[in-house]
Amino acid sequence: MGKSAKRKKEKKADFQKPKYKVGKAKPKASNVTDTSFKAKSIVMGQQSLSTTAPDVIQQFKHSLSVASSSKSDKQRQEGLAHLTGQLSQQPPVNPVGTHTLLVKLLPLITDSSTPVRKQLLKLFEQLPGEQVRYAVEQATMFIRAGLTHLSADISNDALNFMEWLLNAADVDVVSCPGGWIKTLNTFCATLGWSAAAGKDGWSSGGRGAAVRGGKASINQSRAIDILAKFLAAGFVPEEAVAEDEGDWDHLYRLPRDPNAFAYLNLTGMRRDEDGEMYADRESRQRVFHRRFLSHIVKGVEAAKKEGGTSGRAAAGLDQLLRSDMGMGDYEPLGAMDTEDLLDLW
């Protein structure tokens, strides 16, 4: 009975409200921490305190690191915004150089965040075109990856990046290794105009959009406009060189083109036809006539029948192809091309 009475008393005590005397402090909890001590300094690990703020160069490099490697979309966007502000100043602040900046930021072309991609395009538009041309080959690779991306937003934004690159260095885009055939393959596959149309999920979609797996993936009229701009850059006639017997300057001066001896492919991997450089208009016309002209003409005719913005864009592309600034002045040779002879061998 003694134990039972004790249990009842303990249970009853749980529900009794304690009575406090007026002016008496509330009793402290058993796990309270004593904070009455005073310290002259608090040392925290991995913290650098300085009386001077970081200089502009350090801030630029920090923002570049945040923009290229941060896991947060907001932080990447803010890093790109700071870099854009530095590049838009007069004179622009770029301590790492345009090539290094592009190498770090080009992967963001396929970033999943739309605000990040839009801010990236604003940053690229601040870069000088004469320096962008030295990273054209890397830029075209990432843009082609964006054009064939499964996300419709990324594919459409990749068209804006292609337009920026053509505005900055159009001749280098069409003449760099893989810049002509691989880019045309990408455009044709994206628009559903390739020879393999209907395979691997690609087909010609209605309402002016190429579709993959039944889902609209890209703005067709916009893609046709950018394709026309790309072809116009590839079909621009070379400037005539003045023939002066006494002018030997071009033979002895150092070349100023980016990777001037890339056509020799002295140190790179062996290239196939798609990865070759087509540095002159005639070679680009020959390859275009042999591999792409018939498919693009069929796609243009189909888009013109659909009408709307896609039809108007296709009409502009058709006019370019028929003019002397396109394929109008091209006369295919009766003899077999070098590639055909190699195939026979």
Side-chain angles (χ1 to χ4, degrees):
M1 294 297 294
K3 291 183 179 180
S4 178
K6 184 177 180 182
R7 278 200 203 107
K8 290 180 180 180
K9 186 176 180 181
E10 290 176 352
K11 289 182 179 180
K12 189 176 180 181
D14 292 337
F15 299 97
Q16 286 182 351
K17 186 177 181 180
K19 296 180 181 179
Y20 301 111
K21 294 182 179 180
V22 178
K24 188 175 181 181
K26 184 179 179 180
K28 296 181 179 180
S30 59
N31 60 346
V32 68
T33 302
D34 184 12
T35 58
S36 60
F37 66 89
K38 294 182 178 180
K40 294 184 178 180
S41 63
I42 299 177
V43 179
M44 299 179 64
Q46 299 181 353
Q47 185 182 26
S48 177
L49 300 178
S50 176
T51 57
T52 58
D55 57 6
V56 176
I57 295 178
Q58 293 300 324
Q59 289 180 353
F60 189 96
K61 293 181 179 179
H62 174 71
S63 297
L64 178 59
S65 175
V66 170
S68 60
S69 60
S70 176
K71 302 298 182 182
S72 171
D73 297 346
K74 186 66 174 177
Q75 289 184 356
R76 292 199 301 275
Q77 182 185 1
E78 291 176 351
L80 290 172
H82 179 264
L83 296 176
T84 305
Q86 295 296 313
L87 293 172
S88 61
Q89 294 182 4
Q90 294 297 333
V93 178
N94 185 4
V96 300
T98 301
H99 186 273
T100 303
L101 197 67
L102 287 172
V103 170
K104 289 281 189 181
L105 299 180
L106 281 173
L108 296 180
I109 291 177
T110 56
D111 193 275
S112 59
S113 173
T114 300
V116 171
R117 296 194 304 273
K118 292 186 180 299
Q119 188 63 51
L120 180 67
L121 181 61
K122 293 179 182 178
L123 186 149
F124 284 171
E125 290 173 346
Q126 300 296 326
L127 299 175
E130 63 273 9
Q131 297 179 17
V132 171
R133 60 198 299 255
Y134 292 95
V136 160
E137 186 177 357
Q138 296 94 324
T140 52
M141 288 191 297
F142 283 102
I143 292 175
R144 289 196 297 264
L147 288 172
T148 56
H149 202 277
L150 292 174
S151 171
D153 294 335
I154 294 177
S155 298
N156 288 319
D157 286 344
L159 293 173
N160 298 328
F161 286 105
M162 176 59 75
E163 184 178 28
W164 156 76
L165 191 59
L166 290 173
N167 291 334
D170 53 352
V171 177
D172 298 282
V173 172
V174 298
S175 61
C176 71
W180 185 241
I181 291 185
K182 289 185 178 180
T183 307
L184 284 174
N185 279 331
T186 301
F187 271 113
C188 290
T190 302
L191 290 166
W193 294 354
S194 62
K199 299 179 181 179
D200 300 329
W202 288 99
S203 61
S204 178
R207 295 182 298 174
V211 298
R212 171 181 263 180
K215 180 180 178 182
S217 63
I218 200 166
N219 186 340
Q220 190 183 36
S221 61
R222 175 70 171 157
I224 295 174
D225 287 335
I226 302 302
L227 173 59
K229 192 169 186 176
F230 176 80
L231 291 175
F235 294 147
V236 171
E238 289 82 5
E239 295 181 0
V241 180
E243 297 182 0
D244 187 357
E245 296 181 357
D247 185 11
W248 298 91
D249 183 58
H250 65 284
L251 296 177
Y252 298 103
R253 67 184 178 185
L254 293 174
R256 297 187 179 276
D257 294 333
N259 201 3
F261 301 102
Y263 67 95
L264 298 175
N265 196 23
L266 298 175
T267 58
M269 296 177 60
R270 184 176 181 181
R271 300 185 187 132
D272 55 5
E273 184 185 15
D274 292 1
E276 278 294 338
M277 296 178 63
Y278 297 91
D280 59 276
R281 182 186 186 228
E282 183 180 357
S283 63
R284 290 192 288 266
Q285 282 181 319
R286 183 177 64 251
V287 173
F288 181 80
H289 179 270
R290 182 166 53 87
R291 295 187 54 173
F292 300 101
L293 182 60
S294 60
H295 305 302
I296 290 181
V297 168
K298 291 178 182 178
V300 166
E301 293 300 325
K304 287 167 65 176
K305 292 179 181 179
E306 292 180 2
T309 56
S310 297
R312 289 191 293 271
L317 177 56
D318 183 57
Q319 183 178 1
L320 170 66
L321 294 177
R322 294 177 184 274
S323 67
D324 291 341
M325 297 301 294
M327 297 292 292
D329 61 343
Y330 177 73
E331 296 180 1
L333 300 176
M336 299 181 69
D337 290 337
T338 306
E339 291 81 2
D340 297 332
L341 293 174
L342 291 176
D343 292 339
L344 293 176
W345 181 266

